[in-house]
Amino acid sequence: ILVNVQYNPGISLAESNRLGQIAERLVMDVPEVKSVGRRTGRAELDEHAAGVNTSEIEVVTKELDRSHSEVMEEVRQKLAQIPGVEAEVGQP
């Protein structure tokens, strides 16, 4: 699962990191999630440059009894708990 997270423009790197850690913990609470990895921002010369108000969270899942779409929906619901954060949950 690939999660794109947007914070308010002008957010500091420290606050972006704090919110990213909260998002990671919430996602890890989903039983099917095995691990998460996060990238915050991208360098100015990167082909897909992004500020520190953007994070990408890669989620590795394991198979259990629920469908992939049900797991993605739970991830969406978990991230909706963070005020002022917009999350897009999809697949690479």
Side-chain angles (χ1 to χ4, degrees), residues 13-59:
L13 179 57
E15 180 65 4
S16 180
N17 187 52
R18 185 184 76 79
L19 291 173
Q21 289 173 337
I22 292 170
E24 288 176 321
R25 283 194 299 271
L26 288 170
V27 171
M28 286 298 297
D29 286 342
V30 176
E32 290 83 357
V33 173
K34 190 158 74 170
S35 65
V36 297
R38 176 172 44 101
R39 174 184 22 242
T40 298
R42 290 191 180 208
E44 291 178 16
L45 298 178
D46 188 293
E47 187 174 314
H48 303 283
V52 297
N53 67 312
T54 302
S55 289
E56 297 172 336
I57 302 173
E58 293 183 25
V59 181

Side-chain angles (χ1 to χ4, degrees), residues 12 30 35 66 75 78 88:
S12 69
V30 176
S35 65
R66 295 191 297 171
V75 169
K78 294 276 188 186
E88 179 182 65

Side-chain angles (χ1 to χ4, degrees), residues 2 17 22-23 37-38 43 47 54-55 60 65 74 76 80 82 85 88-89 91:
L2 182 59
N17 187 52
I22 292 170
R38 176 172 44 101
E47 187 174 314
T54 302
S55 289
V60 177
D65 295 332
E74 184 173 350
R76 281 185 197 93
I82 308 172
V85 172
E88 179 182 65
V89 180
Q91 298 178 5

